[in-house]
Amino acid sequence: MSALTPKGPYWVAVRQHRRTLWAVPALVAASLAGVIVLRVRLREPGSDQVLRTNDFWAESLFRLCMEYAGNALLFLPLLVGAFVAGPMVARELESGTWRLALTQSTTAKAWLGSKVLVAAAVSVAGSAALVGIYRLGWVRVSDTWQLTWADRGPYEATGPVLVAYCLLAVALGALVGQLVRRTLVAMAVTGFVMGLVLLILGALRWSLLPVVTATTPYTGQPGPVMPPSALMMDIGFLDSSGRRLSENVCFARTGRFDKCPADLNIAGQYADFHPVSHYWPTQFIETSILLALTAAALYAAFRLVHARHP
């Protein structure tokens, strides 16, 4: 056990923030207990029993909890980054207490490294555990509205991207904390930057892989049949030359989706979509992007601490 006990600046980092560090396993334990209780309240899928009123409310409560939990986990990287930037780095620089570490045969790089390593280890372990717990509950409602594999919230909370976002938050916190050197401002800036990263990658992630296109001849019936689990990206009509037309082009002229004017020369219908098989490749590509950004932010953070305190 003594080999696992942190020493030097690592022990100091753990000791300084022990209350927050203990909150992580407490949150994991509470989340696991909540998911287990909610799952016990539900009957096993495939039961032939008639759905009772209390079963209906239990199912509704379970869906609501999983929806809110997925959205809440989106804010986890923001909280991690704000904590590292503020209490762990900027507060010590602002108050000058970091100089005490330099008097204990510790270099500035080792001081920063202890903060980063402790925060990264706890963030990885905690976020990975929360992903596993969320998946344990999510599999029961994964085919329902706003809880599919591609929805914002469940997508991040069920794969390695959440862990990668937390690692990036640690790196950005270490960098911004040094640049700003004011606790509250550093927390706000890091949270804002992490929010931007989440929004930008969330908007771009479905452009990382090419879509699958399904086409059918136009018969006046609904368009191409997609897998029920697919994420639809675009749908519309094809004219005789293969040119794509909007799905509303017929409705604008006739007031009906199933009746198109002859002059449009509608020959077929198309649908662009991402099948569920794109989930893991997209997760790994986005995770790779986040890890590259993390490496760049860490490099800048350690270059900065070396330049200011060689």
Side-chain angles (χ1 to χ4, degrees):
M1 291 297 292
S2 60
L4 300 178
T5 304
K7 297 179 176 62
Y10 302 97
W11 181 88
V12 173
V14 171
R15 182 71 178 171
Q16 282 180 316
H17 307 288
R18 60 189 181 279
R19 291 187 178 87
T20 302
L21 298 181
W22 275 113
V24 175
L27 174 62
V28 170
S31 301
L32 179 60
V35 169
I36 291 175
V37 169
L38 289 170
R39 286 203 59 159
V40 167
R41 290 288 299 147
L42 295 178
R43 293 178 294 107
E44 288 300 317
S47 172
D48 294 331
Q49 300 177 14
V50 177
L51 186 66
R52 301 187 300 272
T53 301
N54 61 333
D55 292 327
F56 171 78
W57 286 112
E59 183 103 26
S60 300
L61 177 62
F62 192 87
R63 282 198 73 262
L64 187 64
C65 289
M66 297 311 297
E67 184 177 338
Y68 277 110
N71 292 331
L73 286 176
L74 283 174
F75 291 93
L76 183 61
L78 278 67
L79 295 175
V80 171
F83 180 76
V84 174
M88 292 194 79
V89 177
R91 186 168 65 186
E92 291 202 19
L93 293 172
E94 184 179 14
S95 63
T97 56
W98 66 276
R99 293 189 178 91
L100 179 62
L102 301 186
T103 65
Q104 307 298 316
S105 301
T106 299
T107 65
K109 279 189 175 182
W111 169 80
L112 181 63
S114 66
K115 308 291 185 184
V116 170
L117 185 59
V118 169
V122 175
S123 298
V124 168
S127 59
L130 290 173
V131 166
I133 293 169
Y134 185 85
R135 288 189 68 92
L136 180 65
W138 174 76
V139 293
R140 291 295 304 272
V141 292
S142 59
D143 58 347
T144 57
W145 185 64
Q146 288 190 334
L147 285 169
T148 65
W149 62 275
D151 282 320
R152 177 64 64 88
Y155 170 85
E156 290 86 356
T158 55
V161 295
L162 183 65
V163 180
Y165 274 114
C166 289
L167 279 175
L168 177 59
V170 171
L172 279 177
L175 177 60
V176 174
Q178 291 185 81
L179 291 173
V180 177
R181 290 173 169 251
R182 294 292 183 271
T183 304
L184 293 179
V185 179
M187 294 174 71
V189 171
T190 304
F192 176 75
V193 173
M194 280 305 305
L196 281 181
V197 173
L198 280 163
L199 289 174
I200 292 172
L201 286 182
L204 296 178
R205 69 169 53 109
W206 302 120
S207 302
L208 300 176
L209 289 176
V211 295
V212 175
T213 301
T215 59
T216 58
Y218 175 67
T219 61
Q221 300 301 318
V225 177
M226 297 182 298
S229 59
L231 171 65
M232 187 183 72
M233 303 300 294
D234 190 22
I235 192 170
F237 296 99
L238 298 169
D239 65 13
S240 55
S241 66
R243 183 168 61 96
R244 291 188 172 193
L245 302 174
S246 166
E247 62 175 322
N248 296 318
V249 66
C250 296
F251 183 83
R253 296 275 298 275
T254 65
R256 296 174 58 180
F257 288 101
D258 60 349
K259 184 177 182 180
C260 295
D263 63 306
L264 291 178
N265 297 318
I266 300 298
Q269 297 168 279
Y270 74 91
D272 293 336
F273 62 92
H274 285 288
V276 69
S277 59
H278 283 187
Y279 170 80
W280 284 112
T282 305
Q283 284 268 338
F284 292 140
I285 293 173
E286 187 171 348
T287 298
S288 299
I289 294 172
L290 289 167
L291 292 179
L293 293 174
T294 300
L298 281 177
Y299 177 78
F302 280 96
R303 288 285 295 178
L304 180 62
V305 75
H306 177 71
R308 289 182 171 178
H309 314 288

